[in-house]
Structure formats: structure tokens, C-alpha cells
Amino acid sequence: MPSHILDQKQIDDLIGRAVASRKKAYAPYSKFSVGAAVLTAESNVYCGCNVENASYGLCLCAERAAICNSVVSGGEQIVAVAVAAVPLAMPCGACRQFIHEFGKDITVICVDAEDPTRRTVRSIESLIPDGFTFDK
Ligand code: THU
């Protein structure tokens, strides 16, 4: 169970940042734009979008971009990640593992960017049970 209590305003702000970040997506190949926003324990928000490449295997997901942004900005404890797409999309397996690296209690909120009231909220542990870790 997530140990952090997220208040509704924090969640709505985080979703708003993910929706706004989606507009920055560089997705000329798939045309599937994704935005993500990371909320830290210090109430800071770090954003990302997907960034594609002509060499398709190099495409970077929005979630990983946002987490990298949070790491380079100081590496605060991540408490939630919001993901915005149309239609609502759940994080890919690689992103689940990437999120799991930064906290087993992280809350993942996936929304339809055109109607953010449509949302799915999950713990990262439920999205990647027994994810790989060096922790005992
Ligand atoms: N994508 C994400 O940004 N996050 C995910 O969790 C799944 C997929 C992106 C990658 C690619 O640019 C596009 O969506 C289509 O797969």
C-alpha cells in the first residue's frame, strides 16, 4: 500500500502537468503522444514526454524522460507518476521496471489526456509484481 497520502489538489496538478507535457511530445513516427509528470516527497514536479527516433528502438517513453528529469534535478523521493495519453495508456513493461527502481510505494495515475476524469490509479507494485531489485 502506498505510504504517502496524496491530496486531490496535488493529484489534479500532477495530471495537469502530464497533460501539458504531452503537447511537447516528439512522436513523428507513431503519432502517439505521451506526457508524464513525477511528484516528489518535497512536492516538486518533474515532467517528460516521449521522444522518438528514426532508429525506432531508440524511442524514449515519457515516463522514463520524466524520471530522468527528476533524477538530474536532485533525486528526491518519487511518490507518484502521472501518465497522459489519448486514449489512456498504461506504462510499458520497461517503464514499470524503471519506476519500480525508484520506490516500491509509487502511485501510478494514468489518464485520458482529453478527459482526465477518466483515470486508472495503481501502485507500481501491482503493475510489476516482484520487479527486479537488488534489495532483499
Ligand atoms: N510510450 C510512452 O511514452 N510510454 C509508455 O509507457 C508506452 C509507450 C510511447 C513510446 C512511443 O513513442 C509511443 O508511445 C508509441 O509506442
Side-chain angles (χ1 to χ4, degrees):
M1 277 295 277
S3 53
H4 267 274
I5 310 295
L6 298 169
D7 68 53
Q8 200 54 51
K9 185 184 177 319
Q10 267 186 319
I11 292 173
D12 289 342
D13 287 352
L14 188 69
I15 288 170
R17 298 287 296 275
V19 169
S21 298
R22 178 175 169 272
K23 300 278 184 203
K24 310 280 188 187
Y26 176 74
Y29 304 106
S30 73
K31 311 237 186 312
F32 189 75
S33 295
V34 185
V38 162
L39 175 69
T40 70
E42 293 166 45
S43 297
N44 292 314
V45 173
Y46 301 99
C47 297
C49 60
N50 55 331
V51 181
E52 298 188 342
N53 194 279
S55 178
Y56 297 163
L58 298 182
C59 290
L60 175 65
C61 291
E63 299 90 319
R64 281 179 277 159
I67 288 176
C68 290
N69 193 9
S70 83
V71 170
V72 76
S73 301
E76 297 156 22
Q77 179 61 53
I78 295 173
V79 299
V81 179
V83 184
V86 180
L88 179 157
M90 301 302 289
C92 74
C95 286
R96 293 177 193 208
Q97 175 65 27
F98 208 87
I99 295 167
H100 181 265
E101 176 71 21
F102 293 96
K104 316 307 172 243
D105 283 347
I106 293 171
T107 299
V108 179
I109 304 153
C110 300
V111 302
D112 181 330
E114 286 177 351
D115 179 5
T117 61
R118 289 176 192 267
R119 58 182 75 167
T120 299
V121 182
R122 298 274 187 267
S123 69
I124 191 60
E125 192 62 45
S126 74
L127 293 179
I128 183 165
D130 301 323
F132 179 71
T133 176
F134 283 117
D135 300 342
K136 277 191 240 115

